[in-house]
Amino acid sequence: MNIRSIARPEIVAMKPYVSARNSAASDGILLNANEAPYPLVEDAQWQRLSLNRYPSQQPAQLKARLAGLYAVAESNLLLTRGSDEGIDLLTRVFCRPGRDAIVECSPCFGMYRIAATIQGAQVIDVRRLAGNGLRIDFSKLERVINDQSAIRLVFLTSPNNPTGDLIERVELERVLKACQDKALVVLDEAYIEFSGAESAIGLLGQYPQLVVLRTLSKAWAAAGVRCGTVIADAEVINLLQRVIAPYPLAATVVDAALRATSGDTISRQQRLLEMVREGKRDLLEFLTTRDWVTELWGGEANFVLMRLAAAGELVNWCADHGIRIRDFSSQPMLEGCVRLTIGNPDEMTELKSALQAYGERA
Ligand SMILES: Cc1ncc(COP(=O)(O)O)c(C=O)c1O
């Protein structure tokens, strides 16, 4: 597949900006970036991270760490300011304003649509199946991809936010085949670690049109760090690198991402995943026995989605008890739906007691 042929021609033709850090080694006497020669803050952390200097665009140690973690070559990986930036870069590189389109299968993560709208790309929504647990309508999706030549990006999410369902390998391959030579399939695996399902990264060699998004924000418990990874064919990575900012990751972010993914955190992460699974099992058991819950999606991520008669009222009730839950009731197909993230055991106890009181209110 010729990736360049589906990218915006002006991005392919553009001579990318070359920063001081990109164009020369970062050792020796650094007089090439108009930086200050010493930091004004004298604490050890500031000095250790050389915060008077610009960081590398793609810091080698973090790149190597995440390539190891995701079992891919470094040439297949781009570090970004969260997956949000990966979504934005893909849209900017592959969608011509006013001409090209993305596909989403709503209800899904809201940023695909936002990135496309900002870019001036059309959004084609292949709505999920109402009566089937809100699963993707893969036959319709395949038809739309075959019929619409403007499509450049097809966003899929596994597990999906907010419904939590996984995409089966056979369905993913069906979409990948439909997109051959036409478009990229962006598979957002933000929540995959919670599911125990195998990542689709292994399919990259077979399908250069596949892009996988991973993040440290969820199962790596580092949402505040803002570090995501785009995993794709080296040609896609090269194109994204033309557009990404010269210094997208602050030195403090790189340091925190390295700490979050160090060997020391692995066993804590396993405990976190187990705690989330247990908290979710327990919450689902509780919700199943509430007669005011009319529909429940357990899903495979760290949240549950449920439907009830008066979603707004429950959201306000929880807020009055100091608990924030997410109201999805204004979104198509999600009338009366709220999403609850699994918190720590104390938070889950508080949540259940607020929900118990809600059920017993006069
Ligand atoms: C499906 C999905 N993708 C991506 C993101 C954003 O991830 P990040 O924090 O890495 O920008 C979210 C955040 O909630 C999400 O639900």
Side-chain angles (χ1 to χ4, degrees):
M1 176 165 169
N2 183 352
I3 300 285
R4 286 185 166 226
S5 72
I6 59 165
R8 284 173 58 201
E10 53 273 42
I11 302 294
V12 175
M14 179 181 81
K15 202 165 174 298
Y17 176 71
V18 180
S19 71
R21 254 341 62 98
N22 271 356
S23 59
S26 40
D27 57 354
I29 298 174
L30 300 178
L31 303 178
N32 60 349
N34 299 346
E35 300 150 331
Y38 55 83
L40 299 183
V41 178
E42 294 195 319
D43 69 53
Q45 163 89 341
W46 200 285
Q47 310 267 348
R48 181 174 67 81
L49 297 177
S50 303
L51 292 181
N52 56 313
R53 299 286 175 198
Y54 284 108
S56 156
Q57 190 195 53
Q58 292 288 294
Q61 202 188 349
L62 185 58
K63 207 162 170 166
R65 170 76 56 77
L66 294 186
L69 186 66
Y70 299 134
V72 287
E74 289 184 30
S75 57
N76 294 124
L77 176 152
L78 185 76
L79 305 173
T80 56
R81 203 163 24 96
S83 289
D84 285 340
E85 187 179 36
I87 294 163
D88 180 53
L89 292 173
L90 284 159
T91 312
R92 285 199 278 146
V93 168
F94 289 94
C95 294
R96 289 168 299 179
R99 295 176 69 172
D100 296 328
I102 69 134
V103 176
E104 67 171 16
C105 300
S106 78
C108 62
F109 183 49
M111 284 305 288
Y112 314 137
R113 169 175 290 271
I114 297 290
T117 305
I118 292 170
Q119 178 63 12
Q122 188 196 345
V123 178
I124 300 174
D125 185 6
V126 178
R127 287 265 170 94
R128 287 162 174 257
L129 293 162
N132 189 17
L134 293 181
R135 310 282 303 181
I136 292 177
D137 185 344
F138 283 100
S139 301
K140 181 158 180 214
L141 178 57
E142 208 173 9
R143 263 199 321 278
V144 168
I145 294 167
N146 289 336
D147 290 352
Q148 306 260 0
S149 59
I151 294 170
R152 290 291 174 272
L153 301 171
V154 176
F155 284 98
L156 299 175
T157 323
S158 184
N160 186 46
N161 173 13
T163 52
D165 54 308
L166 282 165
I167 293 175
E168 285 174 30
R169 186 57 53 98
V170 18
E171 304 291 14
L172 174 63
E173 292 202 52
R174 205 170 147 190
V175 181
L176 283 164
K177 284 175 184 148
C179 287
Q180 172 83 42
D181 296 325
K182 297 173 65 165
L184 299 181
V185 178
V186 184
L187 183 67
D188 186 343
E189 292 188 333
Y191 300 95
I192 187 93
E193 293 95 339
F194 296 108
S195 74
E198 196 187 347
S199 167
I201 292 171
L203 289 177
L204 205 59
Q206 201 180 337
Y207 297 102
Q209 65 270 46
L210 174 65
V211 178
V212 177
L213 301 180
R214 299 291 293 263
T215 180
L216 300 187
S217 292
K218 309 297 178 181
W220 289 95
V225 173
R226 307 309 299 132
C227 183
T229 307
V230 179
I231 296 162
D233 186 85
E235 195 66 76
V236 175
I237 300 297
N238 286 337
L239 288 165
L240 299 184
Q241 205 149 0
R242 288 170 159 255
V243 172
I244 197 169
Y247 308 109
L249 302 168
T252 47
V253 165
V254 176
D255 186 55
L258 283 167
R259 289 176 57 194
T261 53
S262 77
D264 299 347
T265 60
I266 298 284
S267 64
R268 293 199 70 202
Q269 189 202 34
Q270 291 315 310
R271 287 206 295 282
L272 170 84
L273 295 181
E274 191 42 48
M275 186 198 73
V276 168
R277 268 181 219 121
E278 222 165 84
K280 190 162 122 182
R281 260 196 309 271
D282 184 54
L283 179 64
L284 283 172
E285 215 168 274
F286 176 88
L287 292 173
T288 315
T289 55
R290 305 300 109 178
D291 58 4
W292 47 269
V293 176
T294 57
E295 214 171 340
L296 195 54
W297 292 261
E300 305 289 335
N302 63 336
F303 51 79
V304 304
L305 181 71
M306 67 179 179
R307 202 190 295 272
L308 65 157
E313 187 193 25
L314 178 67
V315 172
N316 291 337
W317 176 274
C318 284
D320 289 344
H321 289 73
I323 301 169
R324 318 287 162 202
I325 61 174
R326 188 85 176 249
D327 190 351
F328 278 85
S329 51
S330 64
Q331 296 202 12
M333 309 185 88
L334 294 181
E335 297 80 11
C337 286
V338 296
R339 192 192 63 197
L340 313 171
T341 304
I342 307 302
N344 69 34
D346 289 345
E347 291 167 337
M348 291 290 93
T349 302
E350 293 273 333
L351 172 68
K352 282 189 292 178
S353 90
L355 295 178
Q356 178 79 30
Y358 176 79
E360 288 165 3
R361 77 202 183 288

